[in-house]
Amino acid sequence: MYAASREALTQTRAALSSALGSVSAGAATAAAAQIGAELFSVVEILDEQRTLRSALSDTSTPGNVREGLAEQVFGGKVSAETLAVLKAAVGQDWSVTSDLLNSLVLVGREALLKAAADQGQLDAVEDELFRLGRIVAGDPKLEQSLSDRSVPAKRKRELLSKLLYGKVTAVAEALATQAVGRLKNSAPADAFDELSNLAAAQREAVVAKVRSSAPLSSEQSDRLTATLTRTYGKPVTVHVEVDPELLSGLVVRVGDEVIDGSGAGRLAALRKSLK
Protein backbone atom coordinates (compact mmCIF):
# COMPACT_ATOMS: atom_id res chain seq x y z
CA MET A 1 0.00 0.00 0.00
CA TYR A 2 1.43 3.38 -1.04
CA ALA A 3 1.66 6.42 1.24
CA ALA A 4 -1.58 7.99 0.00
CA SER A 5 -3.58 4.88 0.82
CA ARG A 6 -1.87 4.45 4.20
CA GLU A 7 -2.89 7.97 5.15
CA ALA A 8 -6.41 7.36 3.83
CA LEU A 9 -6.65 4.23 5.97
CA THR A 10 -5.50 6.18 9.03
CA GLN A 11 -8.25 8.75 8.44
CA THR A 12 -10.86 6.03 7.94
CA ARG A 13 -9.86 4.36 11.20
CA ALA A 14 -10.12 7.74 12.92
CA ALA A 15 -13.64 8.09 11.53
CA LEU A 16 -14.52 4.68 13.01
CA SER A 17 -13.25 5.77 16.43
CA SER A 18 -15.20 9.02 16.15
CA ALA A 19 -18.38 7.20 15.11
CA LEU A 20 -18.14 4.81 18.05
CA GLY A 21 -17.39 7.71 20.37
CA SER A 22 -20.56 9.48 19.26
CA VAL A 23 -22.85 6.84 20.73
CA SER A 24 -23.49 6.10 24.38
CA ALA A 25 -21.16 3.70 26.15
CA GLY A 26 -23.92 1.13 26.45
CA ALA A 27 -24.62 1.24 22.72
CA ALA A 28 -21.01 1.18 21.50
CA THR A 29 -20.73 -2.61 21.28
CA ALA A 30 -23.87 -2.98 19.19
CA ALA A 31 -22.81 -0.02 17.04
CA ALA A 32 -19.40 -1.60 16.37
CA ALA A 33 -21.01 -4.88 15.32
CA GLN A 34 -23.47 -3.07 13.08
CA ILE A 35 -20.76 -0.95 11.43
CA GLY A 36 -18.70 -4.05 10.70
CA ALA A 37 -21.59 -5.96 9.18
CA GLU A 38 -22.81 -2.99 7.14
CA LEU A 39 -19.36 -2.19 5.77
CA PHE A 40 -19.15 -5.79 4.58
CA SER A 41 -22.50 -5.32 2.81
CA VAL A 42 -21.28 -2.09 1.20
CA VAL A 43 -18.15 -3.84 -0.09
CA GLU A 44 -20.27 -6.66 -1.49
CA ILE A 45 -22.29 -4.12 -3.48
CA LEU A 46 -19.17 -2.31 -4.68
CA ASP A 47 -17.58 -5.60 -5.74
CA GLU A 48 -20.59 -6.16 -8.01
CA GLN A 49 -20.94 -2.60 -9.35
CA ARG A 50 -17.82 -1.48 -11.14
CA THR A 51 -19.21 1.90 -12.21
CA LEU A 52 -20.14 2.83 -8.65
CA ARG A 53 -16.85 1.76 -7.08
CA SER A 54 -14.93 3.63 -9.78
CA ALA A 55 -16.96 6.79 -9.14
CA LEU A 56 -16.40 6.57 -5.38
CA SER A 57 -12.63 6.21 -5.77
CA ASP A 58 -12.06 8.61 -8.71
CA THR A 59 -9.42 11.04 -7.46
CA SER A 60 -10.19 13.45 -10.31
CA THR A 61 -13.53 14.10 -8.59
CA PRO A 62 -13.49 16.29 -5.44
CA GLY A 63 -13.75 14.34 -2.20
CA ASN A 64 -16.92 16.13 -1.09
CA VAL A 65 -18.62 15.08 -4.34
CA ARG A 66 -17.68 11.46 -3.73
CA GLU A 67 -19.00 11.74 -0.18
CA GLY A 68 -22.27 13.13 -1.53
CA LEU A 69 -22.57 10.19 -3.92
CA ALA A 70 -22.01 7.74 -1.05
CA GLU A 71 -24.74 9.42 0.96
CA GLN A 72 -27.08 9.42 -2.03
CA VAL A 73 -26.57 5.68 -2.63
CA PHE A 74 -26.30 4.36 0.93
CA GLY A 75 -28.09 6.98 3.04
CA GLY A 76 -31.03 5.41 4.84
CA LYS A 77 -29.73 1.91 4.04
CA VAL A 78 -27.01 1.84 6.68
CA SER A 79 -26.74 3.39 10.11
CA ALA A 80 -25.60 6.99 10.56
CA GLU A 81 -22.36 5.71 12.11
CA THR A 82 -21.60 3.40 9.18
CA LEU A 83 -22.39 6.17 6.71
CA ALA A 84 -19.99 8.51 8.52
CA VAL A 85 -17.17 5.94 8.21
CA LEU A 86 -18.00 5.27 4.57
CA LYS A 87 -18.08 8.96 3.66
CA ALA A 88 -14.75 9.51 5.41
CA ALA A 89 -13.26 6.65 3.40
CA VAL A 90 -14.51 7.67 -0.05
CA GLY A 91 -13.56 11.28 0.64
CA GLN A 92 -9.89 10.26 0.84
CA ASP A 93 -7.55 9.88 -2.14
CA TRP A 94 -6.61 6.21 -2.46
CA SER A 95 -3.68 5.04 -4.59
CA VAL A 96 -5.84 2.40 -6.31
CA THR A 97 -9.51 1.43 -6.10
CA SER A 98 -8.71 -1.94 -4.54
CA ASP A 99 -7.10 -0.16 -1.58
CA LEU A 100 -10.42 1.54 -0.82
CA LEU A 101 -12.37 -1.73 -0.84
CA ASN A 102 -9.73 -3.72 1.04
CA SER A 103 -9.51 -0.99 3.68
CA LEU A 104 -13.28 -0.91 4.12
CA VAL A 105 -13.07 -4.67 4.73
CA LEU A 106 -10.23 -4.20 7.22
CA VAL A 107 -12.05 -1.46 9.13
CA GLY A 108 -15.18 -3.60 9.13
CA ARG A 109 -13.19 -6.47 10.61
CA GLU A 110 -11.69 -4.21 13.25
CA ALA A 111 -15.16 -2.93 14.18
CA LEU A 112 -16.42 -6.49 14.65
CA LEU A 113 -13.36 -7.40 16.70
CA LYS A 114 -13.97 -4.31 18.83
CA ALA A 115 -17.46 -5.64 19.52
CA ALA A 116 -15.98 -9.04 20.44
CA ALA A 117 -13.45 -7.40 22.76
CA ASP A 118 -16.23 -5.43 24.49
CA GLN A 119 -18.00 -8.74 25.17
CA GLY A 120 -14.87 -10.49 26.39
CA GLN A 121 -14.90 -12.79 23.36
CA LEU A 122 -11.73 -11.75 21.57
CA ASP A 123 -9.70 -14.77 22.74
CA ALA A 124 -12.52 -17.11 21.70
CA VAL A 125 -12.83 -15.51 18.26
CA GLU A 126 -9.09 -15.80 17.68
CA ASP A 127 -9.05 -19.47 18.68
CA GLU A 128 -12.16 -20.33 16.65
CA LEU A 129 -10.72 -18.81 13.49
CA PHE A 130 -7.42 -20.61 13.95
CA ARG A 131 -9.18 -23.94 14.46
CA LEU A 132 -11.40 -23.30 11.46
CA GLY A 133 -8.29 -22.83 9.36
CA ARG A 134 -6.90 -26.15 10.53
CA ILE A 135 -10.21 -27.96 9.89
CA VAL A 136 -10.47 -26.60 6.36
CA ALA A 137 -6.81 -27.32 5.60
CA GLY A 138 -7.39 -30.92 6.64
CA ASP A 139 -10.51 -31.40 4.51
CA PRO A 140 -9.59 -31.19 0.78
CA LYS A 141 -13.21 -31.47 -0.33
CA LEU A 142 -14.37 -28.60 1.86
CA GLU A 143 -11.33 -26.52 0.93
CA GLN A 144 -12.09 -27.03 -2.77
CA SER A 145 -15.73 -26.05 -2.26
CA LEU A 146 -14.77 -22.83 -0.50
CA SER A 147 -12.02 -21.87 -2.96
CA ASP A 148 -13.76 -22.78 -6.23
CA ARG A 149 -13.90 -19.50 -8.15
CA SER A 150 -16.70 -20.83 -10.37
CA VAL A 151 -19.01 -21.01 -7.34
CA PRO A 152 -20.84 -17.73 -6.56
CA ALA A 153 -19.65 -15.96 -3.42
CA LYS A 154 -23.15 -16.08 -1.95
CA ARG A 155 -23.27 -19.88 -2.15
CA LYS A 156 -19.87 -20.23 -0.48
CA ARG A 157 -20.94 -17.92 2.33
CA GLU A 158 -24.15 -19.91 2.81
CA LEU A 159 -22.22 -23.20 2.92
CA LEU A 160 -19.79 -21.97 5.54
CA SER A 161 -22.55 -20.29 7.55
CA LYS A 162 -24.46 -23.58 7.77
CA LEU A 163 -21.32 -25.37 8.95
CA LEU A 164 -20.56 -22.76 11.62
CA TYR A 165 -24.05 -21.94 12.86
CA GLY A 166 -24.30 -22.45 16.60
CA LYS A 167 -20.71 -23.71 16.85
CA VAL A 168 -18.76 -20.44 16.99
CA THR A 169 -19.32 -16.87 18.16
CA ALA A 170 -21.37 -14.58 15.93
CA VAL A 171 -18.29 -12.43 15.25
CA ALA A 172 -16.15 -15.39 14.15
CA GLU A 173 -18.94 -16.53 11.82
CA ALA A 174 -19.37 -13.05 10.33
CA LEU A 175 -15.63 -12.64 9.74
CA ALA A 176 -15.17 -16.10 8.24
CA THR A 177 -18.18 -15.99 5.90
CA GLN A 178 -17.23 -12.53 4.63
CA ALA A 179 -13.66 -13.61 3.97
CA VAL A 180 -14.61 -16.75 2.05
CA GLY A 181 -16.79 -14.69 -0.28
CA ARG A 182 -13.87 -12.46 -1.31
CA LEU A 183 -11.08 -15.01 -1.69
CA LYS A 184 -8.66 -13.99 -4.42
CA ASN A 185 -5.47 -15.99 -4.66
CA SER A 186 -5.21 -17.20 -1.07
CA ALA A 187 -6.41 -20.53 0.28
CA PRO A 188 -9.36 -20.46 2.68
CA ALA A 189 -7.22 -21.73 5.55
CA ASP A 190 -4.74 -18.89 4.99
CA ALA A 191 -7.58 -16.36 5.03
CA PHE A 192 -8.84 -17.72 8.35
CA ASP A 193 -5.30 -17.66 9.78
CA GLU A 194 -5.03 -14.00 8.74
CA LEU A 195 -8.23 -13.23 10.61
CA SER A 196 -6.97 -15.08 13.68
CA ASN A 197 -3.75 -13.06 13.59
CA LEU A 198 -5.74 -9.83 13.25
CA ALA A 199 -7.72 -10.77 16.36
CA ALA A 200 -4.46 -11.35 18.23
CA ALA A 201 -3.12 -8.01 17.02
CA GLN A 202 -6.12 -6.22 18.54
CA ARG A 203 -4.82 -7.15 21.97
CA GLU A 204 -1.19 -6.62 20.95
CA ALA A 205 -0.37 -10.30 21.26
CA VAL A 206 2.25 -12.31 19.35
CA VAL A 207 0.99 -15.47 17.64
CA ALA A 208 3.08 -18.62 18.00
CA LYS A 209 2.09 -21.45 15.66
CA VAL A 210 3.24 -24.72 17.17
CA ARG A 211 3.44 -28.13 15.51
CA SER A 212 3.80 -30.82 18.13
CA SER A 213 4.45 -34.53 17.69
CA ALA A 214 1.80 -35.21 20.36
CA PRO A 215 -0.91 -33.22 22.13
CA LEU A 216 0.38 -30.86 24.82
CA SER A 217 -1.03 -31.05 28.34
CA SER A 218 -2.42 -27.87 29.88
CA GLU A 219 0.70 -27.62 32.02
CA GLN A 220 3.01 -27.97 29.00
CA SER A 221 1.01 -25.41 27.02
CA ASP A 222 1.09 -22.94 29.92
CA ARG A 223 4.84 -23.43 30.36
CA LEU A 224 5.48 -22.89 26.64
CA THR A 225 3.30 -19.77 26.64
CA ALA A 226 5.14 -18.35 29.65
CA THR A 227 8.55 -19.05 28.07
CA LEU A 228 7.60 -17.40 24.78
CA THR A 229 6.06 -14.42 26.58
CA ARG A 230 9.34 -13.84 28.41
CA THR A 231 11.30 -14.27 25.18
CA TYR A 232 9.27 -11.79 23.13
CA GLY A 233 8.39 -9.37 25.90
CA LYS A 234 4.67 -9.27 25.17
CA PRO A 235 1.63 -11.56 25.43
CA VAL A 236 1.88 -14.65 23.24
CA THR A 237 -1.01 -16.70 21.90
CA VAL A 238 -0.04 -20.32 21.30
CA HIS A 239 -1.90 -22.29 18.63
CA VAL A 240 -1.00 -25.98 18.65
CA GLU A 241 -1.41 -28.41 15.76
CA VAL A 242 -0.50 -32.09 16.26
CA ASP A 243 1.82 -33.49 13.58
CA PRO A 244 2.99 -37.10 14.22
CA GLU A 245 5.49 -36.84 11.34
CA LEU A 246 7.71 -34.74 13.62
CA LEU A 247 8.53 -37.99 15.51
CA SER A 248 9.14 -36.12 18.76
CA GLY A 249 9.33 -32.58 20.13
CA LEU A 250 7.82 -29.57 18.44
CA VAL A 251 8.36 -26.74 15.95
CA VAL A 252 7.51 -23.16 16.92
CA ARG A 253 6.95 -20.45 14.32
CA VAL A 254 6.63 -16.81 15.35
CA GLY A 255 6.42 -14.61 12.28
CA ASP A 256 9.42 -15.51 10.13
CA GLU A 257 11.35 -17.06 13.04
CA VAL A 258 11.30 -20.85 13.35
CA ILE A 259 12.51 -22.82 16.36
CA ASP A 260 12.81 -26.48 15.37
CA GLY A 261 13.09 -28.79 18.37
CA SER A 262 11.51 -31.78 16.68
CA GLY A 263 13.01 -35.19 16.21
CA ALA A 264 12.57 -34.87 12.46
CA GLY A 265 14.37 -31.55 12.54
CA ARG A 266 17.31 -32.95 14.49
CA LEU A 267 17.57 -35.88 12.08
CA ALA A 268 17.57 -33.48 9.11
CA ALA A 269 20.32 -31.41 10.74
CA LEU A 270 22.35 -34.54 11.41
CA ARG A 271 22.02 -35.73 7.80
CA LYS A 272 23.13 -32.29 6.62
CA SER A 273 26.21 -32.34 8.85
CA LEU A 274 27.23 -35.77 7.50
CA LYS A 275 27.26 -34.69 3.86
Side-chain angles (χ1 to χ4, degrees):
M1 187 180 287
Y2 291 106
S5 287
R6 288 198 299 271
E7 175 59 24
L9 175 57
T10 297
Q11 295 303 319
T12 303
R13 280 173 163 152
L16 172 62
S17 296
S18 179
L20 293 176
S22 69
V23 300
S24 65
T29 300
Q34 183 174 17
I35 290 171
E38 290 181 340
L39 285 178
F40 286 173
S41 295
V42 167
V43 170
E44 187 174 351
I45 291 171
L46 296 180
D47 277 336
E48 296 173 350
Q49 299 189 22
R50 180 178 180 181
T51 300
L52 178 58
R53 70 173 180 264
S54 296
L56 290 175
S57 59
D58 185 357
T59 56
S60 67
T61 303
N64 65 317
V65 174
R66 301 196 299 270
E67 290 179 22
L69 175 59
E71 183 160 15
Q72 179 183 345
V73 174
F74 295 103
K77 299 176 182 176
V78 298
S79 68
E81 292 77 26
T82 301
L83 185 60
V85 175
L86 177 60
K87 288 173 65 177
V90 302
Q92 305 299 316
D93 288 344
W94 299 86
S95 303
V96 292
T97 300
S98 60
D99 284 349
L100 167 61
L101 269 62
N102 291 337
S103 294
L104 286 174
V105 169
L106 176 59
V107 173
R109 289 173 174 176
E110 291 174 347
L112 283 167
L113 290 170
K114 171 68 167 60
D118 289 348
Q119 299 174 84
Q121 295 181 338
L122 198 54
D123 287 357
V125 170
E126 178 191 340
D127 185 63
E128 288 167 351
L129 291 167
F130 170 77
R131 295 188 184 284
L132 176 59
R134 303 283 63 74
I135 290 170
V136 173
D139 188 334
K141 185 176 180 180
L142 176 58
E143 185 173 39
Q144 173 61 29
S145 297
L146 296 177
S147 60
D148 189 344
R149 301 182 72 172
S150 67
V151 177
K154 183 178 180 180
R155 282 181 54 192
K156 289 191 284 188
R157 290 190 181 109
E158 290 174 347
L159 169 61
L160 186 59
S161 184
K162 288 180 181 179
L163 292 173
L164 297 180
Y165 182 74
K167 299 176 183 176
V168 299
T169 57
V171 168
E173 181 179 342
L175 290 168
T177 53
Q178 188 278 332
V180 83
R182 291 194 88 235
L183 287 175
K184 301 299 182 183
N185 298 317
S186 62
D190 293 337
F192 301 144
D193 282 350
E194 180 184 343
L195 289 171
S196 180
N197 291 342
L198 181 61
Q202 300 310 296
R203 56 190 183 83
E204 299 182 345
V206 172
V207 176
K209 296 182 178 179
V210 179
R211 290 163 55 218
S212 175
S213 60
L216 298 182
S217 66
S218 296
E219 182 181 351
Q220 289 173 320
S221 181
D222 290 345
R223 193 160 59 241
L224 177 60
T225 299
T227 298
L228 292 172
T229 295
R230 288 195 302 271
T231 300
Y232 290 95
K234 60 173 59 177
V236 175
T237 296
V238 175
H239 291 311
V240 180
E241 179 180 5
V242 177
D243 183 357
E245 292 185 2
L246 294 180
L247 303 180
S248 65
L250 45 80
V251 177
V252 179
R253 178 184 293 274
V254 178
D256 294 329
E257 186 175 358
V258 177
I259 305 170
D260 192 342
S262 68
R266 289 192 291 271
L267 282 174
L270 177 60
R271 291 192 190 98
K272 186 176 181 180
S273 68
L274 293 175
K275 288 183 179 179

